[in-house]
Amino acid sequence: MENFTIATAESCTGGLLASRLTDFAGASNYFKGGVVAYNNEIKNKILHVKAETLEKFGAVSSQTALEMAKNVREIFSATIGLSTTGVAGPSTSEGKAVGTVFIAIVGEDFSEAKEFHFKGTRSEIKFQTADAAFEILMRHTI
């Protein structure tokens, strides 16, 4: 895929994807912007994740990750939406273990969410999540 644009919706990575995407000169040619939605209210009000999705499946779920990616893509009129949501630690959340992460990517003709179980410190989990998100992005763009 050539000439794509991307928008990010991040929870557990706290802006790390956006930061790393803008590390490269010319980033404004492909990076439209992002939303760090660390709180369910923001996921609902800004990213338009349905309240029912958050209640039924939780913030840390493939369903929420897919809605985040789909909606951020639409909000920013990007070719691709990429999202992360998970438990970076040190404590569990929604009954899900530390290191449980969902990454989703949505484009015009593809939609995918993957579950991961990372190990390490909070920082290590954030970086592992970002690395995995970039691997998924490359698989859909190269």
Side-chain angles (χ1 to χ4, degrees):
M1 174 185 280
E2 290 184 31
N3 299 323
F4 69 92
T5 58
I6 186 167
T8 57
E10 302 182 63
S11 186
C12 66
T13 46
L16 185 58
L17 291 182
S19 176
R20 289 176 63 182
L21 280 166
T22 59
D23 281 345
F24 302 99
S28 59
N29 294 325
Y30 58 86
F31 183 62
K32 291 269 199 136
V35 174
V36 177
Y38 221 70
N39 164 300
N40 283 354
E41 182 180 356
I42 301 306
K43 287 178 182 79
N44 176 252
K45 288 186 176 178
I46 305 296
L47 290 174
H48 313 296
V49 174
K50 294 179 196 132
E52 303 82 50
T53 301
L54 293 166
E55 290 167 18
K56 184 173 181 180
F57 302 105
V60 181
S61 67
S62 61
Q63 294 86 352
T64 294
L66 280 168
E67 283 190 39
M68 289 170 66
K70 175 185 173 288
N71 296 344
V72 80
R73 176 180 179 261
E74 292 172 3
I75 290 165
F76 284 91
S77 298
T79 311
I80 294 171
L82 183 64
S83 71
T84 62
T85 185
V87 185
S91 55
T92 62
S93 177
E94 300 178 344
K96 294 175 179 125
V98 172
T100 303
V101 170
F102 292 88
I103 300 170
I105 187 167
V106 173
E108 187 173 328
D109 56 357
F110 59 86
S111 177
E112 173 186 3
K114 290 193 72 167
E115 181 175 358
F116 296 87
H117 297 277
F118 298 121
K119 303 273 186 226
T121 65
R122 182 177 180 81
S123 181
E124 289 168 338
I125 290 168
K126 286 172 65 174
F127 275 91
Q128 289 172 73
T129 301
D131 288 345
F134 285 119
E135 285 177 27
I136 291 168
L137 176 63
M138 286 190 299
R139 203 172 63 240
H140 285 280
T141 57
I142 294 180

